[in-house]
Amino acid sequence: MEKIKIAIIGSGPAGYTAAIYAARAGLNPVLFTGNQIGGQLIFTSDVENYPGFPNGILGPEMMSIFQKQAERFGTQIRYSHITKVNFFKKDASSYHTLTIDNQIDIETEAIIIATGASAKWLGIPQETKLQGKGVSSCAVCDGFFFKKQDIAVIGGGDTACEEATYLSHICSKVFLIVRKNKLKASLFMQKQVESIQNIHILYNQETLDILGETSVTGILLKNNTNNETTSIQLSAVFVAIGHYPNTDIFKDQLELDTDGYIITKPGTSKTNIPGVFAVGDVQDRIYKQAVTAAGSGCMGALDAEKFLSHKNKL
Ligand code: FAD
């Protein structure tokens, strides 16, 4: 069976940054891209908040630059998906096993998990077509593009209230569309959104569709109490109903929180298994930005390097 020193799972900002650091530290990393080569940013057009690109850059272009930088120092890129993992739990000097594309097993001394988290969507007709054209799952990423315009945030939890609050400073009117007759956010967040003048909370509203041909022009709602439909004209819809961390293959292998995020030791990328590190959105339920993912990828590589040099002295 092939044996390697370090495997990196994921090809988003976290995975590629971990690869750059691990390769420059002489660890000969092998990076498995997964099915979404380049991660979440391949679905976006302009990225304007990543330092180093004063004129902004297209998401796919940025990820291709990340990949080139990782390859320049000797990272081996493999265009495969990891379908199973088997982590050794007791013996820190053992190898962990990864199954690639349900076919081959590979053994590795250390692993950096950078599998990200996917936004949950509503599943309504026009949502996919208008993503990047006014439909977004990230206020911090895309809010600026809708400065002084009317927009909607869909959801009733803490995330939706946080997104609405953030957008209320940038946009003219923020419609907070809530399916139930109350918010399920914490009392503090409820009070906050209720107190902001340009946030209009619409309760009992089911989102039937997003309107627009080439970009968002409005939203179609149905009132759950009387089945009346209404449409509101606006320029963007932020879907804020949560994320799924991509951790299905790690269940029963790693310590996860109740929503499935990998738990890391505070201030580090260490998981509860020696030699297994988690970086980027897969362990971050708060920030979820390319720059924070990249920063945490760097932490993962430095933690892994320390682990390997200590292990090889044993
Ligand atoms: P991801 O980018 O999610 O990458 C995860 C990687 O893991 C993928 O390559 C996937 O193929 C791989 N993977 C998953 N499972 C497996 C497996 N089993 N085996 C192998 N590989 C696997 N952030 C900003 O800072 N600025 C922006 O302007 C911005 N705009 C955004 C626009 C959109 C539409 C979206 C969705 C997000 C945006 N973000 C933005 C957020 C940013 O994309 C994420 O925070 C960042 O990509 C997280 O990086 P990551 O490396 O942790 O994970």
Side-chain angles (χ1 to χ4, degrees):
M1 195 187 302
E2 183 184 358
K3 282 187 165 52
I4 60 171
K5 212 181 255 300
I6 183 162
I8 297 168
I9 313 179
S11 55
Y16 283 138
T17 306
I20 293 164
Y21 277 78
R24 292 187 80 249
L27 299 178
N28 303 318
V30 176
L31 182 147
F32 297 93
T33 61
N35 297 334
Q36 197 183 81
I37 303 163
Q40 292 172 60
L41 285 178
I42 55 164
F43 296 117
T44 195
S45 47
D46 294 305
V47 178
E48 294 194 332
N49 53 9
Y50 198 90
F53 300 100
N55 301 317
I57 181 164
L58 298 174
E61 197 184 333
M62 180 164 134
M63 294 324 295
S64 135
I65 293 173
F66 271 48
Q67 177 171 341
K68 282 196 192 112
Q69 194 171 349
E71 285 176 312
R72 179 182 157 210
F73 300 111
T75 304
Q76 258 191 60
I77 309 281
R78 298 203 189 162
Y79 296 95
S80 319
H81 206 74
I82 301 300
T83 44
K84 197 172 161 209
V85 295
N86 193 5
F87 297 148
F88 273 99
K89 295 191 170 61
K90 293 190 186 104
D91 181 357
S93 66
S94 304
Y95 281 85
H96 303 289
T97 311
L98 304 178
T99 305
I100 304 165
D101 294 328
N102 281 318
Q103 284 171 354
I104 327 159
D105 285 351
I106 186 172
E107 287 189 329
T108 179
E109 289 182 64
I111 300 172
I112 299 178
I113 300 170
T115 50
S118 315
K120 291 182 188 168
W121 297 101
L122 298 164
I124 52 176
Q126 291 250 93
E127 188 180 41
T128 311
K129 180 181 141 191
L130 293 172
Q131 265 171 44
K133 295 167 185 139
V135 174
S136 171
S137 60
C138 176
V140 174
C141 309
D142 296 328
F144 185 80
F145 298 119
F146 303 99
K147 206 172 175 181
K148 299 206 167 108
Q149 298 178 46
D150 295 350
I151 61 95
V153 173
I154 299 177
D158 278 332
T159 308
C161 291
E162 274 162 20
E163 302 271 270
T165 304
Y166 178 86
L167 291 163
S168 70
H169 305 305
I170 303 170
C171 303
S172 299
K173 253 188 217 165
V174 176
F175 295 98
L176 181 57
I177 315 289
V178 186
R179 201 153 44 98
K180 303 225 164 108
N181 61 357
K182 56 179 192 268
L183 291 165
K184 69 170 192 279
S186 63
L187 206 57
F188 172 81
M189 285 310 301
Q190 291 187 30
K191 287 204 169 126
Q192 178 163 295
V193 288
E194 281 161 6
S195 71
I196 298 175
Q197 284 201 339
N198 63 339
I199 297 183
H200 304 266
I201 309 176
L202 306 180
Y203 292 105
N204 295 308
Q205 299 294 331
E206 186 87 30
T207 307
L208 294 183
D209 209 354
I210 297 166
L211 308 174
E213 273 310 305
T214 51
S215 61
V216 171
T217 55
I219 192 166
L220 183 64
L221 302 173
K222 184 181 88 175
N223 187 316
N224 285 330
T225 57
N226 57 16
N227 285 340
E228 257 178 35
T229 56
T230 41
S231 61
I232 303 176
Q233 280 192 348
L234 38 78
S235 318
V237 174
F238 290 84
V239 179
I241 53 174
H243 283 81
Y244 296 110
N246 299 318
T247 52
D248 283 357
I249 56 169
F250 307 115
K251 280 178 191 155
D252 310 324
Q253 292 280 330
L254 277 184
E255 214 179 316
L256 307 179
D257 73 9
T258 47
D259 292 320
Y261 287 88
I262 297 175
I263 298 175
T264 50
K265 195 171 156 212
T268 77
S269 63
K270 294 176 189 169
T271 68
N272 63 316
I273 304 290
V276 180
F277 305 89
V279 299
D281 285 11
V282 74
Q283 53 81 57
D284 172 10
R285 41 186 318 138
I286 302 172
Y287 302 104
K288 291 196 175 65
Q289 290 295 291
V291 71
T292 49
S296 117
C298 158
M299 289 167 65
L302 297 181
D303 288 343
E305 193 279 325
K306 249 191 212 130
F307 167 82
L308 288 169
S309 56
H310 175 72
K311 181 182 169 223
N312 293 331
K313 272 192 218 133
L314 293 176

